[in-house]
Amino acid sequence: MKTLIRIGTAAILATGLSLGGTAAQAAGGHGGPELKHPSWTFDGLFGHYNEDQLKRGWEVYSNVCASCHGLEYMHYRNLKGLGYTEDEVEAIAASFEIEDGPDEWGEMFTRPATVVDPIKEPYENDALAKLANGGAVPPNLSVMTRARDHGPDYVYSLMLGYEAGVPEWVHEEDPEFSVPPGKSFNNYFPGYAISMPQQLFPGIMEYSDGTEATPEQMAKDVVTFLQWAAEPELEKRKDLGRYVLVFLIVFTGVLYAYKREIWKNAH
Amino acid sequence: MSHTANPAGSGDDKTRRDFLLIASAGMGVVGTALAVWPFIDSMNPAKDVMALAVVEVDLSPVAVGQAITVVWRGKPVFVRHRTPEDIEQARAVNVASLRDPEADEDRVIKPEWLVQIGICTHLGCIPKGQKPSDPKGDYNGWFCVCHGSHYDTAGRIRKGPAPLNLPVPQYAFLDDTTIQIGEE
Amino acid sequence: MSSTPSPVWSNPAIKWVDRRMPIFSLMHKELIVYPTPRNLNYWWNFGSLAGIALVILIFSGIFLAMHYVPHEDMAFASVERLMREVNSGWLIRFIHMNTVSLFFLCVYIHIFRGMYYGSYKAPRELLWIIGVIIYFVMVGTAFLGYVLPWGQMSFWAATVITSLVTPIPLVGEELAIWLWGGFGVNNATLQRFFSLHYLLPMVIFALVFLHLWALHTTKSNNPLGVDVKKKADTLPFHPYYTMKDAFGLGVALVVLSYFIFFNPNYFNHSINYVMADPMVTPEHIVPEWYFLPFYAILRAIPDKLGGVVLMFLSILIWMALPWLDRSRVRSGKFRPVFKWFFWVWVADFVLLTWLGAMPAEGTYVTMGQWATAYYFAHFVVILPLLGWFEKTKPVPESISAAVTAGHDKEAAA
């Protein structure tokens, strides 16, 4: 028993040390509203994705986000992971014209994309992206939920966190605060002034499965899609993880029993 | 390694101990083997490599008598649009007399299209015979200039040091003029 | 100590090899019959556990290197490709990332255990010093490895840490340029870091063997700190400690697997999933948790050179422990005052860890300075003085005597 307490102490020490690290990330000096935390299907020990939701998320991405944000490192073939069939993915890919070449005459040419092509970027380079977006490069979204603390909650909150005017609590923090021209106020963006205008309004798009496209619904679906884009291995990881944990716990139990058996005669 | 450091207990104790030893050792061996598998598997072709392992080839621009070379899995694939004489020549041979006996019918899906991997089965050179100006060897097929292997109009070895015919990759016709090389 | 005769091997192949190179006899002596104090507690598990963590790290690292591209334009993308395209690539990377934390945790506990039970005292000074060198090389290796994914934190950690050499008088600037192979962290830096990150674990591995050699020469310390005097004080290493270590490994793997499969980025910084940008510094630069106490010491000193020197001294001073601690009693168990100060020092270390993660402003700076002062005072003031003034408790005559006494007490109760 004593030994177990000691192991417990070690574990507590470990968590204590590691909390130091995360505490630093959470500390942002934020007087505004807390991050929203809707229930995510991918949270927890049994986390998984819902294919209908992933497809809706892809529809939001392609209708709303894709004109400015890319999905680097991803290919059209990956969309099979959303539950689309081979033919559907081929059709999606073929709806994009991409540049290829040079051909035998040394000329670049365009052709419909195939499943093995990378998902088309909205801008050819960062300079063009900057030019089109008031000096800010719209960040790549394929790793977004991994690249921000509390990624899914953050992106969800950000999408729904726009305010028409500057709220009172901001002026309590900084009486001088104003939103520069060309920017929008967002409760959750560091510094509150964000280059991206509000995107999600009621009625901007319709889902092909008939779900009502409210801003909350769109935000939730697109964040689920982005989480899938960032962690496509999540389902496999958690499925495997459960087997591994059960195996290791049983194994450790057997080892403990054997260890006790051996030590019985030594005390 | 056997050893007898454990002071011997009673019979029951020994059974219990043996069981626990076998259980621990068994789970340890199985667990280690399972844990090593992902590492070994990581050396297999990755998903992006596999995605490119299947290519579609449009044959419509290839006129009778012409040949094209396409790259598939890093290797040249020879596609020849055979003339009726080519086919006739290939089928006139006594199969049993060949070094690597194989009927022409077994090497093609449609007789006019011969699809094969263009790597000499001797020591891995790429035989000549694709371009009109190339030497085609004694049998009007392909000729490997490295060590003088002659292949016929069905890509079968007829003369020289190579032991086998040019291998035919797995392919299928998606429609009359499109083939897909590699399996899906 | 009992001398153990070489076993007689029955297998002819083993016999043949062993006569020409007695590797099997050596393994038998050091891993099977090695007389180990019978009273080691679970704090003694963490040495071998750290060794296993090292093996896991080297093994997984070899496979990561098969897919990684050490180039400033491709490093980040190659890691993403590893996670997305390579079969089980995500698993191998998460194993590598999280085992680093396990390794450091084990090594810290191992070091603290040595400090509490006086494992550094004669005749184990060299064993201890080799251990501190291992820790130094570990720190270097972990730092180099963290740069490789070429995220924002990688890049800026590389910039900040390599800049530590710039305050060195006369050669500082040139030294930094030499380290970088350019005028700042750049592609050349990344390539040399990759090369060295592959090399240093092998150095650690070799040092671990020296550590074990020294250990098996002086034999293991134990919670009582008294020398092994007779056979009854010891147990053969196998199966007693192999099984105890195996059980401890099982527990560690359960915890490790939880992080690998369910919280793989817990110890990582999210900003490191943004590709390195030499034009934009992230708002908070925070090192990995295992560097935080030393980072706090670095920042506690307002002088650039002073901070760097003190940071290195804070680890180097461990090497002097065998001579700073004047007490004749090894184990903290029999040192009522030391025991108390030991835990205060551990608390100070945890406090420094926490402070290292806080922004360097306001009260955090002051707290950092006091915590740093106490950190050093423990070694240069408290430990030497305790040696003179502390009244220690009586130390048992031998391990077996103490074990028997313990059994009597249990029987009486």
Side-chain angles (χ1 to χ4, degrees):
Chain A
M1 198 57 224
K2 207 170 161 193
T3 52
L4 288 179
I5 294 169
R6 281 176 184 155
I7 290 166
T9 330
I12 291 164
L13 184 68
T15 353
L17 285 169
S18 51
L19 277 178
T22 37
Q25 297 169 12
H30 194 288
E34 296 277 308
L35 283 185
K36 297 174 202 289
H37 179 71
S39 68
W40 301 112
T41 59
F42 48 79
D43 268 348
L45 227 53
F46 293 89
H48 61 275
Y49 296 120
N50 174 324
E51 285 187 352
D52 293 336
Q53 188 171 27
L54 287 177
K55 286 180 188 169
R56 287 200 302 272
W58 163 251
E59 287 175 21
V60 179
Y61 168 79
S62 23
N63 279 312
V64 183
C65 318
S67 54
C68 299
H69 295 275
L71 290 171
E72 226 179 326
Y73 321 116
M74 292 184 66
H75 300 77
Y76 289 107
R77 64 184 152 82
N78 296 133
L79 299 178
K80 273 181 256 176
L82 302 177
Y84 288 120
T85 63
E86 179 79 32
D87 290 344
E88 286 172 320
V89 175
E90 271 176 24
I92 291 173
S95 68
F96 294 88
E97 286 283 316
I98 59 166
E99 191 175 51
D100 198 354
D103 60 17
E104 52 203 288
W105 296 281
E107 302 283 336
M108 300 303 281
F109 58 93
T110 58
R111 61 166 172 87
T114 65
V115 291
V116 295
D117 286 310
I119 289 179
K120 194 180 179 181
E121 293 286 318
Y123 303 103
E124 267 173 56
N125 52 55
D126 278 1
L128 275 177
K130 258 187 183 170
L131 196 66
N133 291 284
V137 181
N140 167 39
L141 290 187
S142 65
V143 290
M144 183 48 79
T145 61
R146 252 194 276 149
R148 298 289 183 275
D149 291 334
H150 313 288
D153 288 350
Y154 170 76
V155 179
Y156 178 81
S157 306
L158 189 91
M159 294 312 295
L160 300 173
Y162 286 86
E163 305 272 357
V166 177
E168 198 47 41
W169 60 265
V170 179
H171 284 135
E172 279 166 21
E173 265 180 21
D174 174 13
E176 304 288 297
F177 182 88
S178 69
V179 179
K183 306 233 173 194
S184 307
F185 183 89
N186 191 296
N187 280 318
Y188 303 97
F189 192 70
Y192 313 125
I194 186 169
S195 299
M196 173 173 76
Q198 183 168 355
Q199 299 295 326
L200 301 182
F201 297 98
I204 50 163
M205 61 171 276
E206 272 172 28
Y207 282 124
S208 60
D209 69 357
T211 307
E212 195 192 343
T214 62
E216 285 76 16
Q217 184 69 44
M218 289 187 281
K220 203 170 167 180
D221 291 344
V222 80
V223 168
T224 304
F225 168 75
L226 293 179
Q227 173 72 6
W228 169 84
E231 300 186 6
E233 87 296 346
L234 180 140
E235 282 185 337
K236 209 193 254 176
R237 170 157 59 77
K238 293 192 174 185
D239 285 349
L240 183 59
R242 290 193 298 274
Y243 285 116
V244 170
L245 275 189
V246 169
F247 177 87
L248 283 175
I249 287 167
V250 173
F251 186 30
T252 305
V254 172
L255 287 172
Y256 182 65
Y258 187 44
K259 182 253 161 195
R260 266 180 68 111
E261 191 67 27
I262 282 172
W263 277 79
K264 208 161 62 176
N265 303 314
H267 288 301
Chain B
M1 244 173 282
S2 77
H3 86 101
T4 50
N6 312 347
S10 66
D12 267 2
D13 266 13
K14 197 174 170 323
T15 322
R16 189 176 144 82
R17 181 173 296 198
D18 285 349
F19 168 75
L20 286 170
L21 170 65
I22 292 164
S24 320
M27 289 187 85
V29 170
V30 171
T32 311
L34 290 175
V36 166
W37 169 247
F39 291 90
I40 295 170
D41 191 30
S42 75
M43 291 172 72
N44 275 322
K47 293 187 200 84
D48 53 352
V49 177
M50 292 311 287
L52 294 170
V54 178
V55 294
E56 280 179 24
V57 185
D58 179 14
L59 302 177
S60 53
V62 188
V64 176
Q66 279 188 337
I68 54 164
T69 305
V70 294
V71 181
W72 174 70
R73 298 188 183 175
K75 297 179 194 125
V77 170
F78 293 169
V79 182
R80 189 189 275 195
H81 197 167
R82 297 195 294 184
T83 60
E85 299 80 64
D86 285 339
I87 300 168
E88 199 182 319
Q89 214 178 330
R91 298 197 168 179
V93 183
N94 174 11
V95 175
S97 71
L98 297 172
R99 184 177 303 167
D100 181 9
E102 214 178 348
D104 182 64
E105 289 85 345
D106 296 337
R107 291 178 56 80
V108 291
I109 295 173
K110 293 185 180 186
E112 61 272 33
W113 294 104
L114 178 64
V115 180
Q116 53 189 350
I117 294 171
I119 294 180
C120 180
T121 57
H122 178 222
L123 291 170
C125 295
I126 297 174
K128 298 275 180 191
Q130 286 292 89
K131 288 189 220 134
S133 57
D134 276 354
K136 290 191 165 60
D138 295 354
Y139 298 87
N140 195 30
W142 289 266
F143 174 65
C144 184
V145 293
C146 288
H147 308 97
S149 290
H150 299 253
Y151 296 90
D152 66 12
T153 55
R156 293 173 297 199
I157 181 67
R158 298 296 286 274
K159 192 171 151 191
L164 297 170
N165 304 334
L166 292 178
V168 176
Q170 188 173 30
Y171 70 99
F173 277 87
L174 297 180
D175 55 51
D176 276 352
T177 55
T178 313
I179 56 166
Q180 187 184 53
I181 311 175
E183 58 190 322
E184 181 105 290
Chain C
M1 217 96 30
S2 58
S3 68
T4 43
S6 286
V8 179
W9 301 104
S10 52
N11 182 315
I14 290 181
K15 202 171 183 169
W16 189 91
V17 173
D18 208 65
R19 261 196 70 187
R20 286 151 183 85
M21 181 180 69
I23 185 164
F24 294 102
S25 292
L26 182 80
M27 276 164 39
H28 182 80
K29 178 167 171 269
E30 304 299 348
L31 297 174
I32 308 284
V33 294
Y34 174 70
T36 318
R38 64 187 307 140
N39 59 332
L40 299 188
N41 56 33
Y42 273 103
W43 294 115
W44 259 263
N45 273 46
F46 290 92
S48 69
L49 207 49
I52 290 166
L54 175 65
V55 171
I56 296 175
L57 284 169
I58 292 178
F59 187 76
S60 53
I62 288 170
F63 285 86
L64 291 182
M66 294 180 191
H67 304 284
Y68 175 73
V69 184
H71 186 281
E72 58 181 345
D73 294 333
M74 290 177 265
F76 189 87
S78 76
V79 174
E80 281 300 320
R81 180 179 174 273
L82 171 82
M83 305 246 289
R84 292 166 187 275
E85 308 290 349
V86 174
N87 302 319
S88 304
W90 57 269
L91 177 59
I92 299 174
R93 176 158 190 252
F94 287 151
I95 287 174
H96 199 73
M97 265 168 65
N98 286 288
T99 306
V100 179
S101 286
L102 176 71
F103 191 26
F104 270 92
L105 179 69
C106 291
V107 167
Y108 279 131
I109 294 174
H110 188 60
I111 292 171
F112 292 169
R113 189 270 288 156
M115 286 178 174
Y116 183 80
Y117 292 110
S119 299
Y120 47 79
K121 293 191 183 186
R124 299 188 182 86
E125 302 96 321
L126 189 60
L127 169 64
W128 174 260
I129 288 170
I130 295 169
V132 179
I133 296 172
I134 291 176
Y135 178 74
F136 252 115
V137 185
M138 271 174 70
V139 168
T141 311
F143 159 69
L144 294 170
Y146 192 68
V147 175
L148 302 184
W150 210 240
Q152 272 290 65
M153 208 61 107
S154 299
F155 183 88
W156 292 98
T159 301
V160 169
I161 300 300
T162 49
S163 298
L164 290 180
V165 302
T166 55
I168 296 172
L170 300 173
V171 295
E173 290 293 334
E174 280 71 24
L175 197 56
I177 289 171
W178 175 77
L179 277 179
W180 294 324
F183 303 98
V185 174
N186 67 91
N187 188 53
T189 325
L190 178 60
Q191 286 193 322
R192 64 192 58 182
F193 277 21
F194 178 56
S195 168
L196 294 173
H197 182 69
Y198 209 111
L199 169 71
L200 289 186
M202 311 305 160
V203 174
I204 297 177
F205 203 70
L207 285 169
V208 167
F209 270 89
L210 295 185
H211 195 61
L212 286 173
W213 187 5
L215 172 73
H216 283 226
T217 306
T218 60
K219 306 295 181 207
S220 306
N221 186 27
N222 64 80
L224 296 172
V226 295
D227 286 330
V228 166
K229 296 199 176 78
K230 47 188 187 256
K231 198 149 193 270
D233 292 346
T234 66
L235 291 168
F237 190 73
H238 180 74
Y240 292 97
Y241 286 104
T242 45
M243 283 322 296
K244 197 172 178 178
D245 283 350
F247 165 58
L249 173 65
V251 175
L253 288 181
V254 169
V255 178
L256 179 66
S257 298
Y258 166 75
F259 283 105
I260 289 172
F261 290 103
F262 296 99
N263 222 337
N265 287 308
Y266 185 75
F267 296 103
N268 197 13
H269 299 287
S270 56
I271 193 77
N272 217 32
Y273 282 116
V274 176
M275 191 172 145
D277 183 350
M279 294 297 129
V280 182
T281 309
E283 280 192 40
H284 299 284
I285 300 189
V286 186
E288 295 299 88
W289 68 267
Y290 36 81
F291 294 147
L292 289 173
F294 309 105
Y295 192 59
I297 291 173
L298 171 76
R299 296 193 305 182
I301 309 305
D303 176 68
K304 197 174 169 186
L305 182 59
V308 176
V309 169
L310 218 58
M311 184 177 72
F312 281 100
L313 267 184
S314 65
I315 300 173
L316 276 175
I317 201 165
W318 296 351
M319 288 199 193
L321 254 181
W323 297 277
L324 289 170
D325 181 356
R326 309 296 306 169
S327 178
R328 302 162 79 95
V329 174
R330 267 200 204 109
S331 172
K333 211 175 164 121
F334 305 107
R335 302 182 59 190
V337 188
F338 164 81
K339 197 188 268 183
W340 203 81
F341 277 108
F342 170 80
W343 285 112
V344 175
W345 180 80
V346 170
D348 186 59
F349 192 83
V350 174
L351 175 68
L352 281 167
T353 304
W354 179 72
L355 286 169
M358 292 296 121
E361 56 196 32
T363 47
Y364 296 130
V365 177
T366 328
M367 282 168 79
Q369 287 166 346
W370 281 104
T372 303
Y374 186 82
Y375 180 99
F376 284 98
H378 175 81
F379 292 107
V380 297
V381 181
I382 294 169
L383 282 186
L385 287 181
L386 279 181
W388 299 109
F389 295 115
E390 186 179 34
K391 263 190 105 150
T392 55
K393 290 200 231 164
V395 173
E397 191 194 324
S398 74
I399 296 170
S400 48
V403 172
T404 322
H407 279 298
D408 291 348
K409 226 194 293 175
E410 263 173 43

